[in-house]
Amino acid sequence: MDRLSSSARVMIVSDLDHTMVDHHDSENLSLLRFNALWEAYYRHDSLLVFSTGRSPTLYKELRKEKPMLTPDITIMSVGTEITYDTSMVPDEGWVEVLNQKWDRNIVMEETSKFSELKLQAETEQRPHKVSFYVQKDKAQEVMKTLSDKLVKRGLDVKIIYSGGMDLDILPQGAGKGQALAYLHKKFKTEGKLPPNTLVCGDSGNDAELFTIPEVHGVMVSNAQEELLHWHAENAKNNPKVIHATERCASGIIQAIGHFNLGPSISPRDVMDSSDSVPENFEPGHDIVRFFLFLERWRRAEMAYSELYLAGLKALSFPSSAFVHPSGIEQSILDCTNALRRSYGDEQGKQYRVWVDQVTTTEIGSNIWLLKFNKWEISGDERRGCIATVLLSSKDLSPSEGFTWVHMHQTWVDGAGAKDHTDWVC
C-alpha cells in the first residue's frame, strides 16, 4: 500500500523528545518495542507522523543518535514545516497558509527590545519560527507584553512556551495542532481521512494536538506539568484523552491497546515467537520475528539449541540464496553455520537489531516481495543494509509463517560494517 495515496487504517502522530524517544532509556528499549510493533502490524496500511519542535537540522541529528523509524510525514519546527516521505518533500500549500499576517523582520525587531529573551541557535530559527530562551519566572509577563506589541504592528502570531525555558513565536495559523488539522482537512478532501488518529505528547507545545476533533490522545506518564495543567483545565472529562502509566513509547503502546486501535503486544514482549502470530498473518511480522531471533541468539538471551537452527532451515527452500552486503552469495547451510558460530558473540554488549520501512507486495500466487532497511547497533558502531526478500506462503499454516526463498542485501551508504565477517544475516 502507498500510505500517502490511499486511506490509512490508523494514523499515529507523536512528539519525539520524551514522548517517542526516552532520553533516560540508555538501551532505547521502549522505542525498540514500538518499532517492532509498528513494522510487524501497522507499517503496511497505517501512517506514522512525527511532530516535533526540532528544526530539520536537530531532527536529523536525533535520527543518527537513536534507533528511530522513518515516518511517512514529518511535522517540524513546532508545526511550521510539513514534509513527506524519506526525501522530506515540503508541503507548499502549508507554506501559503503560514504566510498570512506574518513578517519575520517585524518579529525580530520587536523581540530585540526584550533583554529577557535569549536567541536560540541559528539552526532553530526557521522561516516561520523564531525561538528564544526565557526564564520561567519571566515568561508570562514577556509573552503578554510581546503579544500586544506584535498585534499593534499588524501581525497575527502565536507565542508558545514549553519545557520551562523555550519560547517560540509562530504565525497564528501554525503549531502542531493546526498542522494536524491541515492534514486532516487535506485527507478528508481527498477522501482518505484515517478512521482513527492517536496523538501523543509530553509538553506544552503538544497541547494543541489534543484539541483536534475526534482524535484519541495519550499524555505519556512522564508528561510535564504544563501539559498536565492544560489537561486539567481543558480536557479532564474527555474519555478520548488518557494519562498513560508508562513512559514515552511504552505509553503510546499502552494507548493503542486502551483505545483498541489494533494489536498492542510488541513482538519484543514475546519470548516464544510462535505465541505472537496474529490472526491475519502479515509478511512484515515474519521479518520482524526473524531479526528479533537473531538479536536474542547473539545476545544469548535464549538457550542454545540445534532445534532453532533446524527450524530456520526447514522454513527455507533447499535452494535458497542469501546475498551478504559484501556481495558474497551464501546457501542456507552457510547461513545456518554462521548462526551457529555467532551464538552469544554479543552477550553483555549493547547489541540491538531493528527493521524500518518494511514494504510488502504480493507478486504472484503465495509469493511476496519485501523491501526494508535492517539496522544494527553494537556498542558505538551503527550499520545498516537495504534488504530485499522473497517469501512464499504456499502450503503453510499461519502459525508456520512463510518460507524464505531469497534475500539480497546491500550496505546503506556510509553505514557499512567495518568488519564484514561479523554481519551474520
Side-chain angles (χ1 to χ4, degrees):
M1 167 190 174
D2 183 346
R3 289 169 298 280
L4 293 175
S5 63
S6 27
S7 180
R9 173 168 57 103
V10 175
M11 181 163 72
I12 290 186
V13 182
S14 178
D15 172 53
L16 291 178
D17 295 289
H18 310 293
T19 302
M20 182 63 74
V21 177
D22 189 345
H23 293 284
H24 298 289
D25 179 1
S26 60
E27 290 213 35
N28 303 299
L29 291 180
S30 64
L31 180 57
L32 289 166
R33 287 180 64 225
F34 178 85
N35 291 358
L37 178 71
W38 188 261
E39 295 297 335
Y41 302 126
Y42 292 92
R43 174 67 83 173
H44 67 287
D45 67 356
S46 298
L47 281 174
L48 180 61
V49 182
F50 288 159
S51 182
T52 178
R54 286 179 177 245
S55 65
T57 299
L58 291 187
Y59 168 67
K60 291 172 184 176
E61 286 183 7
L62 185 64
R63 290 189 59 81
K64 292 177 182 177
E65 296 168 4
K66 296 291 183 178
M68 292 164 53
L69 296 181
T70 301
D72 302 290
I73 303 173
T74 312
I75 301 171
M76 294 171 289
S77 304
V78 199
T80 62
E81 299 179 62
I82 300 176
T83 66
Y84 299 91
D85 294 331
T86 308
S87 54
M88 299 180 73
V89 177
D91 189 313
E92 297 299 338
W94 184 235
V95 173
E96 292 179 12
V97 170
L98 298 186
N99 282 336
Q100 300 173 26
K101 289 192 174 182
W102 171 257
D103 189 319
R104 198 174 187 283
N105 292 330
I106 293 177
V107 173
M108 293 301 295
E109 180 185 333
E110 291 296 333
T111 52
S112 68
K113 301 172 184 177
F114 290 79
S115 60
E116 300 92 338
L117 295 175
K118 306 299 180 186
L119 203 63
Q120 291 186 19
E122 185 61 32
T123 57
E124 298 312 289
Q125 312 306 327
R126 304 297 296 168
H128 296 95
K129 179 176 81 77
V130 185
S131 297
F132 298 88
Y133 297 120
V134 62
Q135 293 179 11
K136 192 173 184 179
D137 59 343
K138 304 284 182 63
Q140 293 304 317
E141 181 181 348
V142 168
M143 290 169 68
K144 183 179 184 308
T145 306
L146 178 58
S147 179
D148 291 341
K149 287 182 176 294
L150 292 174
V151 168
K152 289 178 181 177
R153 296 292 302 271
L155 301 191
D156 191 8
V157 304
K158 173 187 300 180
I159 303 176
I160 299 176
Y161 186 64
S162 62
M165 61 187 292
D166 299 316
L167 187 144
D168 299 309
I169 305 171
L170 325 169
Q172 185 61 243
K176 291 185 175 184
Q178 279 85 340
L180 176 56
Y182 170 85
L183 289 173
H184 267 195
K185 182 178 180 181
K186 183 175 182 176
F187 289 148
K188 189 173 183 179
T189 300
E190 297 169 351
K192 54 186 182 184
L193 179 67
N196 288 298
T197 296
L198 173 66
V199 301
C200 321
D202 78 297
S203 72
N205 69 15
D206 300 316
E208 291 179 353
L209 291 172
F210 298 92
T211 67
I212 305 304
E214 304 305 316
V215 303
H216 301 285
V218 56
M219 303 178 297
V220 291
S221 69
N222 52 293
Q224 297 181 27
E225 177 187 343
E226 63 216 21
L227 182 59
L228 297 178
H229 177 74
W230 176 90
H231 177 260
E233 292 289 322
N234 299 278
K236 68 177 181 179
N237 295 319
N238 183 355
K240 286 197 166 188
V241 178
I242 65 168
H243 186 192
T245 59
E246 296 193 53
R247 291 178 57 86
C248 300
S250 294
I252 298 174
I253 295 173
Q254 181 183 352
I256 291 172
H258 177 86
F259 294 118
N260 296 312
L261 301 181
S264 60
I265 299 177
S266 172
R268 278 193 172 270
D269 297 332
V270 183
M271 288 305 295
D272 183 352
S273 61
S274 64
D275 292 340
S276 67
V277 179
E279 188 174 324
N280 296 315
F281 197 58
E282 291 291 338
H285 182 271
D286 216 49
I287 298 296
V288 171
R289 186 167 62 163
F290 172 75
F291 287 112
L292 274 177
F293 162 79
L294 176 66
E295 176 189 300
R296 291 166 175 166
W297 179 263
R298 297 187 70 179
R299 287 172 59 94
E301 292 179 345
M302 56 200 305
Y304 179 91
S305 173
E306 285 289 328
L307 292 176
Y308 290 122
L309 300 179
L312 290 174
K313 191 174 180 179
L315 287 175
S316 300
F317 282 176
S319 59
S320 294
F322 298 83
V323 181
H324 188 276
S326 64
I328 299 172
E329 184 172 310
Q330 300 172 307
S331 67
I332 181 59
L333 179 60
D334 295 329
C335 287
T336 304
N337 288 335
L339 278 170
R340 184 178 289 110
R341 293 190 299 269
S342 71
Y343 179 78
D345 65 352
E346 297 285 351
Q347 188 173 14
K349 302 177 184 177
Q350 286 196 335
Y351 172 75
R352 297 293 176 187
V353 182
W354 73 99
V355 294
D356 182 24
Q357 293 182 288
V358 178
T359 62
T360 62
T361 306
E362 189 169 11
I363 60 173
S365 179
N366 302 310
I367 297 292
W368 297 82
L369 174 68
L370 291 91
K371 296 181 179 179
F372 55 93
N373 292 335
K374 178 222 171 179
W375 293 95
E376 291 187 0
I377 289 179
S378 182
D380 294 329
E381 185 182 4
R382 175 170 173 162
R383 52 222 180 149
C385 75
I386 302 168
T388 303
V389 172
L390 276 179
L391 298 179
S392 171
S393 58
K394 185 179 180 181
D395 301 327
L396 291 174
S397 67
S399 62
E400 293 176 299
F402 293 82
T403 300
W404 288 58
V405 180
H406 181 86
M407 179 164 69
H408 186 280
Q409 303 175 87
T410 56
W411 294 122
V412 172
D413 288 343
K418 296 175 183 176
D419 179 3
H420 291 191
T421 62
D422 68 352
W423 184 272
V424 177
C425 288

